[in-house]
Amino acid sequence: MKKILSFLIALVLLQISCQVVLAQVGTITTCGYGATLRVVSNASGQLFRPWGAYIDLLDSTGSSTPVAGGGSVYGDGGPAISALLNKPQDMAFDIYGNMYLSDSGDAVIRKVNTAGIITTIAGNISLGHGYTGDGGPATAAKIHSERISTDGSGNIYFTDPVHNVIRKIDAAGIITTVAGNGSAGFSGDGGPATAAQIDHLTDIAADMWGNFYIGDSANYRVRKVNAAGIISTFAGNGAAGAAGVGGPATAANLDYPSGLATDASGNVYITEANSAVVVMVDVTGTLYNVAGNYTTGFSTGDGGAATAATLQNPKDVTLDASGNIYIPGTGFGRIRKVRGAYMVATHVADSFSLFVNKTCSGPQLNIFTPHYVAASSVKTYFGDGTTATTTIAASSVGGNASTSHVYPATGTYTLKQVLYYGSIAVDSFSISYTHIFCTEKSLEFFYDNNTNCNLDSGENYISHPVLVQVDSNGTTIDTISSLGYFYYTAYGNPGDVYSYRMVAPPAGMHVTCPSSGVIYDTLVASIYGPAISQFGFACSSSGGFDLAEYSITPTTGMRDQIGGIYVSNIRCAPTTATVKLNFSPKYEYHTGEANPTPSATTATSISWNITTLTSLDAFPRRLQYQLWNNTSTGLLTVGDTVHTSVTISPSAGDTDTSNNTEVVVDTVRASCDPNEITVSPAGHVTSGTELTYTVHFENTGTDTAYNIYVLDTLSGDLDPTTFRIVTSSVSEMHISKLMDAAHHTIMKFDFPNIKLLDSSYHDLCTAMFIYKIKTKAGLPDCTHIISRAGIYFDYNAVCMTNEAESVIGCWPASVAAVTQTNAEISPNPATNELSIKMGNGLFSSYSIANGMGINVASQSIIQPNTVVDIQHLPAGLYYVTLRGANGSVVKKFIKM
């Protein structure tokens, strides 16, 4: 929480005499152990001095000591006092005493830990300012930060007034936008904060209940974003001035709200720079004046009533644990102090405080005391008739202890803690704790070959997708698409009955256990880990086979193309298959550059014979190849288009031939990253289209990666209820569905014990997974759907993939909108001829346009089956527009 964390951190604050003269004080905050105040300043008298700013610390005597900045090098990993800071705008502290700096000149946010070591946690000095990276690691994003705040859950918020947004860095280091749609204005109250307009952001402050407040100064308002991500006006009626004191905050005038702070009781403090006052909005929504007489200057006030004093352009405000208010003023180099009279900290004690971690079973309580006393303890009354006594242990910052509790049901409980020194009670406080009961469930899916309902030696977790329906007390609430594992969080109360019903087992298989195909789970309060239940499957009597191929070409370079092809049989009957790769004549194959050894090769193709494919395999079979640039044509050009297709046969007897052929269109890159995401179809699609995403990853480090997981934040334009996993190259993959504070759906793909070899085995130890998901219906034309995944190798920093993009509509000018029809074009890709098949009389003409929308051919249609000569067309992507009395339809094809 910005400005005040003392309700979470154990503080014993002495009386602070902070009316000291500094050179141009900027922003301030309170935090830490003992009487300290941090200010942004520097020794030269300039508030912002490029390449030479300091963060100063004021102790209880008023002495100022630099604690960060002043060095000659950027300084990450070293002492903060020796690091180079460039225009630090603001700072905030977390519950552990770590300091976060908005280093705006370098477009980064930096952290100074309690040992004084500085690191970068958002932005990158080499990237510069910008607005990129949502859904990925904050250190890979471009940012523009000014004011900064923290909350009790480890999240860091900052304002980006250039792009009119608030962004958040969560505890895992992932950055997202949590307020603002990027355009200046005023709109959105009552709806998602990310769809709202904000104008001239000045400050941000979070409270302990998951809300944060925004200084929307050009709209003369303070806006509030609640824990559900909904934005509303908290204070201000949209007009400047001084009217409204003593009445509802939303009816009052605010004149350039600049600084914000919250206290532990839920009151919000606002500086009005132009009116030269500090006002407070209490928990009833009433606005009061707490400092300043609406006159600018520094000539009156010290030693008297704060509301009779003059203030000079107050742009920031902070509080300490005693409710004292600190106000920096520009022009006179002073910090003014108003002794506490407004904060009623009913849940903060003088001698100890509490950090609460909410879990499915109940609270985990971490107790902090600034001074350790032997034989001290805390007794906790949980509000449900139970108590616990916890011994305080000595620590480097005083004393601490922890305890946890399981609540019997969802509800609001009064939680009271009493601090004892021996048998003497010395302090206490109470808080209201709202518990939302939930339990975690682990579902496993395996091939029960001997139908004994046990996962025996030699039996595998399934490698083909299943679909499970989730019911709560008889009402369907969710569906799960998974391969071998899925983690699910069930909400409700003890005694609620959840059921997990198998609605789509792997093709050609049936459920062996439970025989009903339904797992029932009665929720029970527990502190233990997720309960595990299993579905077993066996082959059905129906025979047949279903061959499928999944090709990926993640590295298409100027000199070579390295690719992987995964093939499987989705049904149980063992089948021998032929896989044929058709590659661009821009490349050529050299003997020995494929594994396994091909059965046949030509100038533009490679073929493999794969024996005994069966759905009981633990994972798909992998084929790999490397192609080199054709010596007769030389190096490929960056940006050039390369077409590759893969086909698996035989098709006769195959129960589903729709997954037997894949066409990959890629562009040549100067350098290639094997950690990549691709989407099909890419480019122009219609609302409701099912997109297929392939995520490919390879260990590029210097040591074996033992555990890997991938976080994929789904675009808000995708429908998460349609998520369907297709396949994975790894036999053990755990899938779970997460939700962040901004209500984005995050799919987590976990690969425990994968043991992926290091980069010296380039392209020999790679992995991939594929999923399908539909775009939402009714999306506006030209909506860009961008996906990017973060890949975590053990404890290393995240490795971000590229961005995969599809666009709703936005067809080239000469291409009509796509509609559904029974018209078909084949083959695709095509070389010499293109066959168009359609219902008799549906269409009267066709035209062909290239990727730029330029028509290259057109003709009337007489027969329902028409053959078009395309030998003269250059290789590339084309659109066929069929026109008739009832409208038109567009089909895409690739010319090889």
Side-chain angles (χ1 to χ4, degrees), residues 160-192:
D160 180 348
V162 172
H163 300 98
N164 300 293
V165 294
I166 300 288
R167 304 181 77 181
K168 183 185 82 171
I169 307 156
D170 66 17
I174 303 301
I175 191 170
T176 54
T177 297
V178 292
N181 66 5
S183 63
F186 177 72
S187 68
D189 271 6

Side-chain angles (χ1 to χ4, degrees), residues 297-451:
F298 182 70
S299 59
T300 63
D302 272 8
T307 53
T310 56
L311 301 177
Q312 174 73 17
N313 194 23
K315 289 188 176 180
D316 201 13
V317 62
T318 191
L319 295 93
D320 65 23
S322 299
N324 300 309
I325 303 168
Y326 299 90
I327 310 163
T330 60
F332 295 100
R334 290 176 169 88
I335 299 172
R336 313 289 291 280
K337 172 182 175 180
V338 180
R339 294 193 182 278
Y342 297 96
M343 185 181 72
V344 182
T346 57
H347 56 286
V348 178
D350 292 333
S351 303
F352 71 109
S353 56
L354 179 68
F355 172 65
V356 181
N357 180 31
K358 293 187 175 183
T359 72
C360 273
S361 56
Q364 293 177 344
L365 308 176
N366 296 304
I367 304 156
F368 296 87
T369 63
H371 300 290
Y372 172 70
V373 175
S376 58
S377 63
V378 167
K379 185 173 184 179
T380 305
Y381 299 81
F382 293 103
D384 60 355
T386 62
T387 63
T389 299
T390 310
T391 301
I392 303 294
S395 71
S396 59
V397 293
N400 60 51
S402 61
T403 186
S404 60
H405 185 63
V406 176
Y407 276 121
T410 293
T412 299
Y413 300 88
T414 299
L415 191 153
K416 180 180 179 180
Q417 291 195 309
V418 181
L419 176 64
Y420 287 89
Y421 288 172
S423 60
I424 301 174
V426 295
D427 214 339
S428 68
F429 68 86
S430 298
I431 64 172
S432 179
Y433 180 85
T434 299
H435 172 59
I436 300 175
F437 176 82
C438 53
T439 63
E440 292 181 328
K441 186 74 173 177
S442 174
L443 296 174
E444 299 180 350
F445 313 96
F446 71 99
Y447 296 128
D448 187 20
N449 298 335
N450 57 13
T451 66

